[in-house]
Amino acid sequence: TKINERIFENTELAIRVASNEDKVKYRSDLITLGRESFEEYFGQYHISYVTRDKAPLIYENWIEEYLDHSDDNLIIALIDNKVVGFLTIDVTEEAVELVLSGINNNYRNLKIYERIIRYGTQFALDHNKIATLSTQFDNFFVQRAWINIGYKPYYSFYLYHLNNIFQPNLETYINID
């Protein structure tokens, strides 16, 4: 119902819901940022040898999907008309899910991630909806930003990726009479 207040250093950061014109104007920059934001990241798509090399492309395609739709589904952060961050959102009848974000590495010291999540959260509250978000279990940097905003952990689970290299004998684990 509320966001913890925080004063940030004065920067020329502008955050807004991307218009269709923004999506056309900044398309290339956003797609590049979607890829580059996850080249050094190690998450669910980086674990498997099947998707590891494709991981940055998966994120690039993910942002491209949001650019190809005309509804209010993308929040952008700009400094001097240069895209320095984005947040994709999915709006439903009850909630606004804060889905995928990317921040330009050259601007990480400005707390842009926390500020863009704050904006997305306020967007949800302004539309009388709850805001939801999720991340990898061990992604502590983003979780810290969430706690600064006022979020509290609600639910967690481990996701295990198995491959077919190890094929256990199911009879060992199941009592078959």
Side-chain angles (χ1 to χ4, degrees):
T1 59
K2 67 179 181 123
I3 299 173
N4 294 339
E5 295 297 322
R6 183 169 182 188
I7 305 295
F8 293 95
E9 289 183 27
N10 188 12
T11 66
E12 300 300 317
L13 183 67
I15 302 174
R16 66 175 183 248
V17 174
S19 66
N20 289 334
E21 292 80 20
D22 289 331
K23 289 180 178 184
V24 171
K25 179 178 181 179
Y26 298 115
R27 181 180 183 86
S28 176
D29 296 334
L30 287 161
I31 291 171
T32 299
L33 183 55
R35 181 186 65 254
E36 290 177 351
S37 295
F38 294 96
E39 287 178 339
E40 303 292 322
Y41 181 73
F42 188 80
Q44 64 183 347
Y45 301 118
H46 299 81
I47 294 170
S48 169
Y49 69 90
V50 174
T51 57
R52 182 174 300 128
D53 293 336
K54 297 176 184 78
L57 183 60
I58 291 169
Y59 289 104
E60 182 180 302
N61 290 339
W62 199 347
I63 184 67
E64 198 167 9
E65 285 290 319
Y66 283 87
L67 291 168
D68 290 340
H69 293 88
S70 61
D71 50 354
D72 294 337
N73 62 6
L74 178 66
I75 295 169
I76 56 174
L78 304 159
I79 294 178
D80 296 328
N81 286 321
K82 175 183 168 93
V83 174
V84 295
F86 70 83
L87 171 65
T88 63
I89 59 175
D90 289 341
V91 180
T92 67
E93 188 174 322
E94 300 84 19
V96 174
E97 181 182 4
L98 312 179
V99 182
L100 179 68
S101 59
I103 306 299
N104 183 312
N105 285 330
N106 297 324
Y107 295 87
R108 291 205 179 258
N109 61 336
L110 299 177
K111 305 285 185 192
I112 294 170
Y113 175 77
E114 182 177 334
R115 294 165 78 173
I116 205 167
I117 295 297
R118 284 176 178 275
Y119 187 95
T121 303
Q122 190 61 55
F123 177 88
L125 295 174
D126 290 347
H127 289 84
N128 200 29
K129 299 176 186 290
I130 62 170
T132 63
L133 32 65
S134 63
T135 190
Q136 301 293 310
F137 189 79
D138 59 353
N139 195 352
F140 302 117
F141 293 110
V142 300
Q143 292 175 46
R144 178 178 204 133
W146 299 352
I147 290 168
N148 289 344
I149 296 167
Y151 284 92
K152 293 180 176 44
Y154 173 72
Y155 182 75
S156 63
F157 62 92
Y158 282 103
L159 178 63
Y160 292 96
H161 295 266
L162 302 175
N163 60 34
N164 63 356
I165 293 173
F166 173 70
Q167 299 254 342
N169 180 347
L170 291 181
E171 291 176 1
T172 304
Y173 302 101
I174 302 172
N175 185 5
I176 300 176
D177 289 328

